[in-house]
Each structure stands twice: as C-alpha cells, then as structure tokens.
Amino acid sequence: MPPAHSPSAPGSPDPSAPQGAPTAPAGTGTGTSGGGGNDTIDALDGRLIRLLAEEPRIGVLECSRRLQVARGTVQARLDRLQAKGVISGFGPEVDPAAIGYPVTAFATLEISQGQGADVRAHLARVPEVLELHTITGIGDMLVRIVARSNADLQRVIDRVLGFDGIVRSSTAIVLENPVPYRILPLVDQAAAE
C-alpha cells in the first residue's frame, strides 16, 4: 500500500521506538486474548486496515498520527497482521475493464477423477483466468475469467476447456457487479467481535 519510497513504509524498523517498550497503549489489546470471540484482529487493527485500504499510499508515521497511537504500535500491528496473513499484500488494485478486458464470466468445470492437479496447472497458464476455486455441488471448480469482448470470450473458453481433464462446463456471463469485491464491512465486523 505505501510506496517503497515512503520514509515510513510498512515493514521498515521504527528507530523512534524504545527497545523492549510495550507497543500497544492501554485498553487497545493485541487481538490475541483467550476467551470467546475473535482472536485475529481488534478495534485498533480494524481502524488501521480501514485507513490503509482507503489511503493505500499513507505511511506508518501518518497512520500513527491519524490513529493517535505511537509509530511503534502501528509498525508492530502491521508486522503482526502480515505475519498472521490478515494483510496479504500492498499491491495496487487493477480493474480488468480498464486494461481492455470488460467482459467477466464464471465457468463451472467438471473434471475427470484424479486430474485436479493437472487441470489446476493448465488453468494457471491462462492469463484470463483471474481466480480458481475448488467447490462442492454440481461442478468441481469455479473459474472467474475475463475477455476483451463477448466474441473474445469464446476464445478464452476454448482455451480453458482445451484440456482433456475437463469433461463438462457451464459458463455464466456477468451482466452487472452491484456489490464489487469488498472486505471492509467484514473487517469492521471482525474487529467489533
């Protein structure tokens, strides 16, 4: 999220934090307490994640100013959230439509028994495959694909299906995306638990 040139980019050591000093102010918790509820994130983590999602180029120092906590606290929280896999990256979000792929579709695939690894490897080589999930139900895999046009979608589908391990497929074209992929409402809920 913050750029590499930021003087306070996540992951950089905090020279102003005293050695061995506590990093969380009283009452904020670490999100790892026993007992019921969420043991992954707390309210401060939720506020930090929201801030970074809304302003991806913000640095650690500015985060600490906005959240009104020590810079070392922000850095420690970021390090912990990354180590636990809560924050999995700081890369840019790219809209496929903006780079020439406005058509999105979901393909449900049925595969031959024992062919899962080979089908996964095949699909990983298709650039228009944005996501692959193994699923329960009618099919075995759900694939999100993009294309340059409806006509180009046929080419993509042919490439996806061009593997002997795939025995049947069903494709649905996305007409509208009224609730795009989002995570902040879930972060807010998890932080409040």
Side-chain angles (χ1 to χ4, degrees), residues 5-187:
H5 68 276
S6 170
S8 55
S12 61
D14 180 10
S16 65
Q19 292 290 342
T23 58
T28 60
T30 61
T32 56
S33 61
N38 177 14
D39 67 349
T40 305
I41 66 171
D42 64 13
L44 179 57
D45 292 331
R47 290 171 47 219
L48 175 58
I49 292 167
R50 176 171 283 281
L51 181 59
L52 289 169
E54 291 172 350
E55 296 186 51
R57 296 177 62 124
I58 194 171
V60 171
L61 189 59
E62 182 62 16
C63 283
S64 71
R65 188 183 72 73
R66 301 255 192 107
L67 297 173
Q68 298 180 337
V69 296
R71 183 179 188 273
T73 298
V74 171
Q75 188 64 62
R77 294 298 182 111
L78 276 174
D79 291 345
R80 181 177 55 80
L81 291 168
Q82 286 181 279
K84 289 183 134 191
V86 175
I87 295 177
S88 58
F90 293 94
E93 293 180 21
V94 178
D95 180 1
I99 60 170
Y101 293 85
V103 176
T104 299
F106 289 90
T108 303
L109 308 178
E110 293 181 42
I111 63 171
S112 300
Q113 192 163 354
Q115 293 288 310
D118 293 335
V119 172
R120 288 183 187 106
H122 161 69
L123 294 172
R125 290 189 295 270
V126 179
E128 294 89 353
V129 171
L130 301 186
E131 288 182 279
L132 167 62
H133 302 270
T134 57
I135 59 172
T136 61
I138 299 171
D140 300 305
M141 295 180 175
L142 182 67
V143 183
R144 184 170 85 152
I145 56 179
V146 293
R148 295 186 179 277
S149 65
N150 285 346
D152 185 51
L153 181 60
Q154 184 62 58
R155 175 194 62 80
V156 175
I157 291 170
D158 289 345
R159 184 165 180 197
V160 165
L161 301 180
F163 189 78
D164 289 338
I166 301 172
V167 294
R168 208 176 280 91
S169 72
S170 172
T171 304
I173 297 175
V174 172
L175 299 177
E176 185 184 10
N177 188 12
V179 181
Y181 178 82
R182 61 193 183 143
I183 197 68
L184 291 181
L186 189 61
V187 167

